[in-house]
Amino acid sequence: MLGGVLVVTMRNAVHSAVFLITTLLATAGLYLTLNAEFLFVVQIILYVGGIMVLFVFVIMLVNLDVALHQVQFNRQTWVAGLLSFALLAELLAAVALARSSSTGMQLLPAPHVPSASIEGNTEQIGRLLFTNYVIPFEIASLLLLVALVGAVVMGKKRI
Amino acid sequence: MMIPTGHYVVVSLLLFTTGVIGVLTRRNVIIILMSIELILNAVNINLVAFSHHLASLDGQIFAIFIITDAAAEAAIGLGIIIAFFRNRQTLLADEMDLLRW
């Protein structure tokens, strides 16, 4: 599973979309190992079925024949890569420190036995979504409406 | 079989850094958007891992909201890309200087 997620060395043109699909599917698998079945289904339907189709559609719409002959990395590549690896090292050190020290994850209780056996994961999420998280849920619907209108406006012939 | 939470955190960390590298170093705007999706996925893995660790469903709710945001952002971003490409015939991020005077 670790190796599957790390196939994100997507440094090609259209291939990066395919590798992104692979990564999203592997992430869905990770959700499944975490007993999050609803998120697993949502990830596959929404990401792999929706967003990636959109991406591939746009990639086909704007022709990449010209872009294949251009330089694909910008000028600050080395500085940015160096900084990113510094960030990675720092975060890894933080995680290692938290795992070794007694104040970090050791303090947290051990992973509970999942209680999803009585009622399913989807039912629990749905109940929580419509009781405690009604307001964020409605705001998310409003956000989706705004995004819909915005995408239609952006796609018009003349802006 | 129980995978420790720290492994999920490390995987999410690596995915996050890959996304950051992609955002910072690529010139193609579509690939930058896809790297942003990678970053959001890393956050989601982290949220779900800790939600599982703490036996609480709040993290999964947050992950759902993040997925919603990612969908909205992808729609808007790709709309902007199409509109821009129609005007300027380019996809490179460092040639997008409409706001530069």
Side-chain angles (χ1 to χ4, degrees):
Chain A
M1 190 58 75
L2 246 138
V5 182
L6 293 182
V7 200
V8 282
T9 52
M10 33 150 235
R11 299 285 90 131
N12 278 335
V14 191
H15 304 155
S16 56
V18 181
F19 281 127
L20 184 57
I21 292 178
T22 311
T23 311
L24 293 178
L25 285 176
T27 309
L30 278 184
Y31 292 158
L32 205 54
T33 66
L34 284 168
N35 293 320
E37 293 93 3
F38 181 67
L39 268 182
F40 165 73
V41 176
V42 162
Q43 170 96 359
I44 285 186
I45 291 179
L46 214 68
Y47 263 112
V48 184
I51 297 182
M52 285 322 291
V53 167
L54 212 59
F55 268 113
V56 173
F57 176 69
V58 171
I59 287 176
M60 299 295 165
L61 205 60
V62 295
N63 53 344
L64 281 179
D65 301 337
V66 196
L68 280 182
H69 305 299
Q70 291 163 339
V71 185
Q72 284 296 317
F73 292 92
N74 55 15
R75 291 184 296 275
Q76 69 261 22
T77 292
W78 295 110
V79 184
L82 216 63
L83 283 177
S84 303
F85 276 114
L87 175 71
L88 173 68
E90 188 174 345
L91 290 176
L92 274 179
V95 169
L97 206 67
R99 288 179 74 180
S100 64
S101 75
S102 60
T103 58
M105 289 179 196
Q106 305 280 338
L107 203 61
L108 292 176
H112 295 76
V113 178
S115 61
S117 50
I118 304 170
E119 62 177 350
N121 176 260
T122 309
E123 284 88 348
Q124 286 177 342
I125 284 186
R127 179 161 299 126
L128 208 54
L129 204 56
F130 279 105
T131 52
N132 287 349
Y133 290 95
V134 176
I135 304 296
F137 186 67
E138 300 293 336
I139 293 177
S141 74
L142 199 64
L143 175 80
L144 279 182
L145 178 67
V146 171
L148 188 69
V149 175
V152 170
V153 168
M154 283 296 171
K156 278 197 323 187
K157 279 282 182 244
R158 287 299 309 167
I159 296 181
Chain B
M1 185 191 69
M2 195 69 88
I3 306 177
T5 309
H7 293 183
Y8 289 106
V9 175
V10 170
V11 168
S12 129
L13 210 61
L14 294 177
L15 208 58
F16 180 82
T17 314
T18 314
V20 168
I21 290 175
V23 168
L24 287 182
T25 61
R26 293 305 296 253
R27 291 177 83 202
N28 197 331
V29 192
I30 296 181
I31 297 183
I32 288 179
L33 271 182
M34 291 202 269
S35 305
I36 293 177
E37 302 289 329
L38 276 187
I39 293 178
L40 291 172
N41 263 287
V43 174
N44 271 344
I45 290 178
N46 223 338
L47 279 175
V48 179
F50 278 107
S51 148
H52 181 65
H53 189 88
L54 300 175
S56 150
L57 277 181
D58 294 343
Q60 298 190 21
I61 304 280
F62 271 80
I64 289 175
F65 286 134
I66 286 183
I67 287 180
T68 312
D69 281 354
E73 170 255 332
I76 289 289
L78 292 173
I80 291 177
I81 285 177
I82 288 181
F84 190 85
F85 184 77
R86 198 179 288 139
N87 284 333
R88 296 290 298 271
Q89 306 292 320
T90 184
L91 276 182
L92 302 181
D94 43 5
E95 301 198 359
M96 296 190 170
D97 47 4
L98 282 178
L99 282 179
R100 184 186 290 171
W101 181 53

